[in-house]
Amino acid sequence: MTEAVARGNGGVNPTLRALPILTVLLAIVVVWYGAAVWMNAPWVRDQAARAETTLTTGDLIRQTLTLERPVLPAPHQVAAGLWEGIAGQKITSKRSLVWHGWVTLSATLAGFAIGTVAGILLAVGIVHNRAMDQSVMPWAVASQTVPILAIAPMVIVVFASMGVTGLLPKAIIAAWLSFFPVLVGMVKGLRTPDAMQLDLMHSWNASRAQQFWRLRLPSSLPYLFASLKVAIAAALVGTIVGELPAGATAGLGARLLSGSYYGQTVQIWSALFAAAILAAVLVMLIGALERLTLRRMGLAR
Amino acid sequence: MERSIDTMQPVISAENISLTFQTADGPVHALKNVSLTINQGDFVSFIGPSGCGKTTFLRAIAALETPTAGTLSVAGMTPDQARRRRAYGYVFQAPGLYPWRTIAGNISLPLEIMGFARPDRQQRIARVLDLVDLAGFGGKYPWQLSGGMQQRASIARALAFDADILLMDEPFGALDEIVRDRLNEALLDLWKKTGKTIGFVTHSIPEAVYLSTKIVVMSPRPGRITRVIDSPLPRDRPLEIRDTPEFIALAQQVREGLREGHSYD
Ligand SMILES: Nc1ncnc2c1ncn2[C@@H]1O[C@H](COP(=O)(O)OP(=O)(O)OP(=O)(O)O)[C@@H](O)[C@H]1O
Ligand SMILES: [Mg+2]
């Protein structure tokens, strides 16, 4: 299988490939430090004026970067907050970002699974049934134009009134956001086989089920994976939004919210970064699965 | 494998068929009053300028299009009944192999769809791979094969389930002359071995003359048959037959037929 290797994206030195990413990262950190100094400076100056002390520039910078409740925390403060939240707590503690992350992750995965299944089933219906083809899409589009921030509290409240709280209502909101990209991608994907492929199937007198399992579904996989990456990120956003309405005490969303109640900006930013890291890991996992599957199927582009 | 004339049964018969496509720019008469009889074991070539309805005629035979007038019967059935009985092996201009299946897997596809048992499938795959000279390539993926080999694999796929009628729409159109010659020889060989009825669309006069027992010349707007030429050439045809006076005379006849339909002017 030497050909398989030659087709891959080999040959580029990994450190060389990382260089542009590192450069951008460095630039962001520099800008961020600048912004932290600039945005926290008024408060520091204010304090100094009240205490009737004068500040050197060095003092000013040092103090802007070490405030307990800064307007904008500095990168190292967020990093410390993240580290503290991840490694500094027992993972069962309510202050552990691992615990909150797990609460969010489990609802995200459940919602992602529901959304993916729903998206695929609707797409199959649309491709195989003319009535569904004409009726489902407008509703699906409409569902996405309703602001999720308005829907989420209603879902939470309705479920709570039925005595259902915790994972399920959040998973529903996550599914609400994640079914749509899967639906759109799969409708496109299931329709990729060209007329010739379908004619061949027809000339063999293949049933619709055979056509689906042997031709449409495999040809749709590149589209499915592309939309799964969007869907998992959307599911995470949905879950976090579902954790924002009052009453939630667990999850990265709740962590964001309580941070903003008490002006704990470091906590907010730590939770934000935890969410971003989670999203990146999830998308990368799907990307890895995609590469593996498509390469094995000879569909890698 | 020589057949005497009196055992030849008509398998495909078209009587006055017309096929009109309704398009946004008005009706297109792809076929108009076309009548043709194809016998069991015939090798029929369709030749004519672009747009004269060759593909449409082949597709109508395979029940991929429905004539808007006239009757078309295949082995005493309608084309669609024949399709349901899996009477057709259709080969398109592009191989259309599934990239996620090996060559053997691709040939196996119609067999799986038709419900052949696994041992039978394996036997058939081995047989047709041999027939198209691809023995040993069953485990390869399509992208590991050249264009000509892929096209041969697609022919093997069409042969695997023993359809009585093989319909080929410019199967070698995208290949170079030398590969084409080889595949033509292989196709003739295969036709002699299997005795199938073959419908073959081509733009090449020598290819049509070399392969066929019957050459159907068509012309466009509306698509119709202008000449049907029965070939006097024997069924055993080495490539050198193309230099004989009979061959050249036949090619001349086809060329005249094409000119009659004021085609290439
Ligand atoms: N699905 C379709 N809808 C509308 N018009 C069509 C359709 N298929 C074919 N036609 C028209 O019917 C006519 C015959 O087309 P056909 O494909 O049979 O020609 P052809 O002889 O195979 O040409 P070529 O040598 O270029 O393959 C053309 O005018 C074409 O535009
Ligand atoms: Mg054509």
Side-chain angles (χ1 to χ4, degrees):
Chain A
M1 276 286 180
T2 47
E3 295 97 318
V5 176
R7 289 170 93 214
N9 187 15
V12 182
N13 187 333
T15 40
L16 261 176
R17 250 186 303 175
L19 203 62
I21 300 173
L22 288 177
T23 313
V24 172
L25 199 64
L26 190 70
I28 290 174
V29 168
V30 168
V31 171
W32 189 350
Y33 268 112
V37 171
W38 186 64
M39 291 175 76
N40 298 332
W43 198 81
V44 172
R45 282 211 196 86
D46 213 34
Q47 288 299 97
R50 245 178 251 176
E52 293 184 352
T53 50
T54 46
L55 287 169
T56 65
T57 314
D59 286 337
L60 179 73
I61 290 175
R62 201 171 313 115
Q63 287 187 29
T64 51
L65 298 182
T66 51
L67 293 176
E68 198 170 316
R69 294 179 182 186
V71 178
L72 178 66
H76 68 267
Q77 289 179 294
V78 175
L82 252 181
W83 179 250
E84 160 74 11
I86 291 169
Q89 315 283 339
K90 273 209 295 195
I91 56 168
T92 49
S93 154
K94 292 246 166 178
R95 300 185 56 192
S96 163
L97 277 176
V98 177
W99 182 74
H100 287 289
W102 165 248
V103 169
T104 301
L105 177 67
S106 52
T108 300
L109 291 180
F112 173 68
I114 299 170
T116 301
V117 170
I120 291 176
L121 288 181
L122 282 172
V124 171
I126 284 177
V127 170
H128 285 91
N129 180 302
R130 182 160 304 173
M132 278 186 79
D133 185 16
Q134 282 162 3
S135 60
V136 173
M137 234 0 162
W139 288 105
V141 172
S143 78
Q144 302 301 299
T145 61
V146 181
I148 193 67
L149 273 170
I151 294 284
M154 287 188 340
V155 173
I156 300 291
V157 167
V158 167
F159 272 90
S161 74
M162 297 188 298
V164 182
T165 56
L167 184 141
L168 188 65
K170 290 190 288 179
I172 299 285
I173 297 167
W176 180 289
L177 285 190
S178 62
F179 92 93
F180 188 67
V182 176
L183 170 62
V184 173
M186 278 307 272
V187 167
K188 174 94 176 124
L190 291 173
R191 286 190 170 144
T192 39
D194 55 25
M196 186 186 86
Q197 304 274 25
L198 294 170
D199 281 344
L200 265 178
M201 279 283 181
H202 190 64
S203 81
W204 300 329
N205 199 21
S207 69
R208 279 183 150 207
Q210 288 171 328
Q211 214 180 71
F212 177 79
W213 289 109
R214 282 159 216 270
L215 175 60
R216 287 192 191 272
L217 192 65
S219 339
S220 73
L221 287 186
Y223 294 85
L224 176 63
F225 279 112
S227 35
L228 286 184
K229 285 192 232 169
V230 181
I232 192 109
L236 183 66
V237 170
T239 303
I240 290 177
V241 169
E243 287 166 347
L244 290 180
T249 51
L252 295 174
R255 205 67 189 145
L256 279 175
L257 198 68
S258 71
S260 76
Y261 278 158
Y262 303 112
Q264 296 283 2
T265 43
V266 176
Q267 180 186 326
I268 297 177
W269 282 85
S270 303
L272 263 181
F273 269 80
I277 291 167
L278 196 57
V281 169
L282 289 172
V283 170
M284 266 160 44
L285 280 178
I286 292 181
L289 193 67
E290 173 183 34
R291 274 193 301 283
L292 208 75
T293 315
L294 297 192
R295 188 166 304 160
R296 279 208 54 185
M297 287 179 64
L299 288 174
R301 279 159 296 176
Chain B
M1 271 291 182
E2 279 294 314
R3 252 158 254 270
S4 59
I5 300 296
D6 54 62
T7 60
M8 285 188 177
Q9 300 284 325
V11 268
I12 300 169
S13 73
E15 278 172 50
N16 264 321
I17 64 164
S18 299
L19 203 155
T20 307
F21 290 106
Q22 299 300 340
T23 69
D25 311 326
V28 175
H29 302 282
L31 294 172
K32 182 123 189 167
N33 296 330
V34 171
S35 299
L36 183 71
T37 305
I38 298 175
N39 290 330
Q40 171 72 46
D42 262 346
F43 196 129
V44 183
S45 285
F46 298 87
I47 192 166
S50 191
C52 68
K54 306 180 293 292
T55 297
T56 307
F57 190 50
L58 222 58
R59 288 175 60 85
I61 294 173
L64 296 172
E65 306 282 359
T66 314
T68 40
T71 55
L72 182 56
S73 71
V74 177
M77 296 173 276
T78 67
D80 202 54
Q81 284 166 333
R83 177 186 68 83
R84 284 172 203 285
R85 297 225 183 155
R86 286 144 175 175
Y88 306 111
Y90 206 108
V91 180
F92 291 86
Q93 183 162 7
L97 301 169
Y98 291 8
W100 59 88
R101 282 178 175 245
T102 60
I103 297 305
N106 269 286
I107 297 171
S108 174
L109 180 67
L111 300 176
E112 290 163 27
I113 285 172
M114 296 176 188
F116 287 87
R118 181 185 290 269
D120 191 14
R121 288 206 301 262
Q122 274 159 357
Q123 225 176 334
R124 281 165 181 273
I125 292 166
R127 199 193 72 215
V128 292
L129 277 176
D130 220 29
L131 223 47
V132 298
D133 209 12
L134 279 180
F137 287 91
K140 295 269 194 249
Y141 282 87
W143 53 267
Q144 295 173 302
L145 267 57
S146 73
M149 292 162 96
Q150 289 185 27
Q151 193 55 281
R152 272 186 279 159
S154 85
I155 294 170
R157 181 179 57 185
L159 290 171
F161 49 93
D162 263 329
D164 292 330
I165 302 168
L166 197 56
L167 299 172
M168 309 173 92
D169 193 351
E170 301 188 45
F172 309 140
L175 306 175
D176 72 67
E177 202 79 17
I178 294 164
V179 175
R180 215 170 155 140
D181 276 355
R182 275 230 314 280
L183 290 184
N184 280 340
E185 260 187 304
L187 184 58
L188 266 187
D189 198 40
L190 193 148
W191 169 66
K192 276 185 293 183
K193 276 190 209 154
T194 57
K196 290 193 187 310
T197 309
I198 300 183
F200 188 94
V201 173
T202 179
H203 277 125
S204 152
I205 296 176
E207 190 173 64
V209 175
Y210 176 60
L211 292 173
S212 323
T213 57
K214 200 192 272 280
I215 302 160
V216 177
V217 183
M218 299 179 70
S219 83
R221 284 175 295 274
R224 68 211 125 95
I225 294 176
T226 48
R227 246 191 221 201
V228 179
I229 301 164
D230 285 302
S231 169
L233 299 180
R235 286 189 167 231
D236 276 313
R237 301 173 184 184
L239 275 174
E240 296 75 49
I241 205 169
R242 297 184 296 186
D243 299 323
T244 62
E246 291 92 334
F247 187 97
I248 294 165
L250 207 53
Q252 187 57 36
Q253 247 181 299
V254 176
R255 193 166 295 119
E256 273 166 24
L258 284 170
R259 209 169 286 138
E260 238 167 57
H262 50 122
S263 42
Y264 291 119
D265 45 323

